[in-house]
Amino acid sequence: SDSILSNIGNLAYHHDKWMVSSLTSSGVDASRSNGALVLTDRNGVSSGDAKMVTPVYTVETEGTKLQFKVTALSNLNGDQDSAGWALYKSTNGSSWSQVQTGSISSTGTITTGALAANAMYRIGFMVHEGHTSGPSAAVSFDDFLAIVPGASV
């Protein structure tokens, strides 16, 4: 399947930071609202999707899983709008590959598959607005965490 990110090579940079697209001149495509992180495609049907990528998660324990919540969907209507996520893996921090993908069509909790030890992971997100008029598609995310086998909570 197609990668959420058009240039996976960008994952080699800014390991400790969120990376966010900027489709219009009015700023980046992600913002905080009521404690959640909201990703919005504000350029209508113009080419390009709103995208963001988490900082790097370094996994030390085999079987660790990453989890996040989709807390709201706004104006994600019909077959022309879409949202999705992808998990990327690296063992050296510079070369990355996509290892899992999923679509986002409802609120709820999303958990990755079990991760390998001694590897780095980032999650990428995409929101696509496909309508010529009307409000922009947006997805809200919250509660990012790592589930480590055997760890007490």
Side-chain angles (χ1 to χ4, degrees):
S1 66
D2 291 339
S3 174
I4 292 288
L5 302 179
S6 53
N7 186 354
I8 293 177
N10 287 337
L11 294 175
Y13 304 99
H14 308 295
H15 283 186
D16 60 339
K17 295 179 172 63
W18 286 85
M19 294 193 299
V20 181
S21 60
S22 180
L23 293 175
T24 67
S25 60
S26 58
V28 296
D29 300 322
S31 61
R32 286 179 57 101
S33 177
N34 297 321
L37 193 56
V38 183
L39 183 62
T40 306
D41 181 347
R42 295 175 296 170
N43 74 344
V45 295
S46 299
S47 62
D49 304 323
K51 297 176 183 180
M52 68 179 182
V53 179
T54 66
V56 169
Y57 295 94
T58 300
V59 174
E60 297 178 357
T61 304
E62 186 83 20
T64 296
K65 297 178 180 181
L66 300 179
Q67 185 178 85
F68 58 92
K69 289 181 182 174
V70 176
T71 56
L73 303 175
S74 303
N75 310 307
L76 203 64
N77 305 313
D79 57 1
Q80 295 174 328
D81 297 343
S82 60
W85 65 276
L87 179 68
Y88 298 91
K89 176 184 178 182
S90 177
T91 55
N92 59 16
S94 58
S95 178
W96 291 81
S97 59
Q98 181 174 281
V99 293
Q100 187 178 353
T101 61
S103 60
I104 297 171
S105 58
S106 62
T107 58
T109 301
I110 295 176
T111 306
T112 69
L115 308 179
N118 304 311
M120 291 169 271
Y121 293 87
R122 300 184 90 160
I123 304 173
F125 303 92
M126 175 278 298
V127 175
H128 172 74
E129 172 60 60
H131 292 92
T132 54
S133 60
S136 299
V139 178
S140 300
F141 301 93
D142 205 351
D143 298 336
F144 291 84
L145 56 90
I147 302 168
V148 180
S152 56
V153 180

